[in-house]
Amino acid sequence: MKKTFNLINFLFIMLFCILGNSQSKNTVKDQRYIFFLHNKFVEENDLNAAHPEYGKAEYKEILNSFRKDHFIVYSEIRSKNTIVTTYAKKIVKQIKNLIKEGVSPDKITVIGTSKGGYIAQYVSTYLANPNVNFVFVGCYQNKDIEEIPEINYCGNILTIYEKSDIYGVSAIRRKETSKLKINHFKEIELNTNLKHGFLFKASDEWIVPCKKWANGNYILK
């Protein structure tokens, strides 16, 4: 009787371990990752500093918003005068390492605001992986086609821009001139009247679409 009881206990423990390992593997498989690249103001100023027109950059609040929705977030405050292309190559290397570790490319999203958005565009170009997600926030002007011709969008691309912001407009022209594969492309025009300051805020108006895109919701419903 005692042997039977011990055998049942042993089998129960083994079953628990198998189910636990399976659940753990599924959790890892389903985990999604965000690389968040902040704007130039955060690069050049203390986090407690306030922009004279746009106020404080809510960098930590933005990261916390993503983390509350269970994303693993990679982000750091860059050094002053960071070279866009050099930093983009650093991010590309980190993404490739994640993919080598078994992370599916569509579980990885690069989100960049303003200068960070330009870095993200170079990441898209250099990585050239059509399954990685990108969100470019307030970081395209029509003159970019002539001044930065080497950028080619690649991946699942969402662009978000503010109607009152002169530093970010529709990037349809960039999409049309890009020579790499774009699996999904969508644009959102906001109307907050905050000009370029909209991306300083941890606002659901642009953060929620980012989260949907990062979760593979390319229809944004």
Side-chain angles (χ1 to χ4, degrees), residues 37 84 88 110 112 114-128 134-141 144 148 150-154 157 159 171 174 180:
L37 307 170
V84 170
V110 182
S114 196
K115 180 177 179 177
Y118 280 101
I119 296 173
Q121 291 176 58
Y122 274 103
V123 173
S124 174
T125 302
Y126 295 154
L127 185 64
F134 291 88
V135 187
F136 308 137
V137 185
C139 58
Y140 172 79
Q141 298 177 76
D144 292 351
I148 323 173
E150 66 271 20
I151 288 179
N152 287 280
Y153 287 173
C154 183
I157 309 294
T159 77
R174 179 63 86 186
L180 299 174

Side-chain angles (χ1 to χ4, degrees), residues 46-206:
D46 186 271
L47 280 181
N48 292 319
H51 188 280
E53 183 177 1
Y54 308 136
K56 181 177 173 289
E58 298 176 352
Y59 172 69
K60 290 183 179 178
E61 293 84 349
I62 291 168
L63 299 187
N64 288 337
S65 180
F66 289 127
R67 286 172 178 146
K68 282 179 182 176
D69 277 23
H70 310 296
F71 292 101
I72 291 179
V73 182
Y74 296 98
S75 188
E76 64 177 356
I77 296 177
R78 300 185 300 271
S79 301
K80 290 182 180 179
N81 302 315
T82 291
I83 298 172
V84 170
T85 52
T86 302
Y87 199 86
K89 290 173 183 176
K90 173 183 173 180
I91 300 299
V92 168
K93 185 176 180 181
Q94 292 174 350
I95 292 172
K96 285 183 175 179
N97 285 339
L98 270 183
I99 294 172
K100 283 180 183 178
E101 290 171 8
V103 177
S104 178
D106 65 335
K107 299 293 193 296
I108 301 170
T109 302
V110 182
I111 302 170
T113 62
S114 196
K115 180 177 179 177
Y118 280 101
I119 296 173
Q121 291 176 58
Y122 274 103
V123 173
S124 174
T125 302
Y126 295 154
L127 185 64
N129 188 321
N131 297 313
V132 174
N133 307 313
F134 291 88
V135 187
F136 308 137
V137 185
C139 58
Y140 172 79
Q141 298 177 76
N142 286 324
K143 65 180 182 179
D144 292 351
I145 298 294
E146 289 73 35
E147 295 184 357
I148 323 173
E150 66 271 20
I151 288 179
N152 287 280
Y153 287 173
C154 183
N156 303 308
I157 309 294
L158 170 64
T159 77
I160 302 175
Y161 61 96
E162 158 60 37
K163 189 175 181 179
S164 61
D165 180 14
I166 63 171
Y167 300 110
V169 300
S170 168
I172 289 292
R173 283 188 63 201
R174 179 63 86 186
K175 178 202 173 195
E176 292 172 347
T177 61
S178 292
K179 301 175 179 66
L180 299 174
K181 187 176 181 183
I182 300 172
N183 282 336
H184 297 92
F185 182 87
K186 197 169 184 67
E187 289 197 316
I188 296 176
E189 181 186 77
L190 302 179
N191 193 12
T192 66
N193 204 35
L194 293 175
K195 301 179 182 178
H196 203 56
F198 84 97
L199 55 79
F200 277 59
K201 310 300 179 186
S203 168
D204 283 347
E205 293 216 42
W206 68 269

Side-chain angles (χ1 to χ4, degrees), residues 3-27:
K3 288 183 178 178
T4 303
F5 181 77
N6 287 337
L7 179 61
I8 291 172
N9 274 349
F10 174 75
L11 292 174
F12 178 79
I13 292 169
M14 288 298 294
L15 180 62
F16 179 80
C17 290
I18 291 169
L19 291 175
N21 286 336
S22 175
Q23 186 176 17
S24 176
K25 287 178 181 177
N26 287 334
T27 301

Side-chain angles (χ1 to χ4, degrees), residues 32-59:
R32 292 180 181 269
Y33 302 80
I34 285 177
F35 287 80
F36 180 73
L37 307 170
H38 59 73
N39 63 3
K40 188 176 182 180
F41 185 79
V42 172
E43 182 181 307
E44 296 182 340
N45 296 273
D46 186 271
L47 280 181
N48 292 319
H51 188 280
E53 183 177 1
Y54 308 136
K56 181 177 173 289
E58 298 176 352
Y59 172 69

Side-chain angles (χ1 to χ4, degrees), residues 209-221:
C210 288
K211 291 176 180 177
K212 289 181 178 180
W213 200 257
N215 277 317
N217 179 355
Y218 304 125
I219 301 175
L220 296 182
K221 287 187 177 179

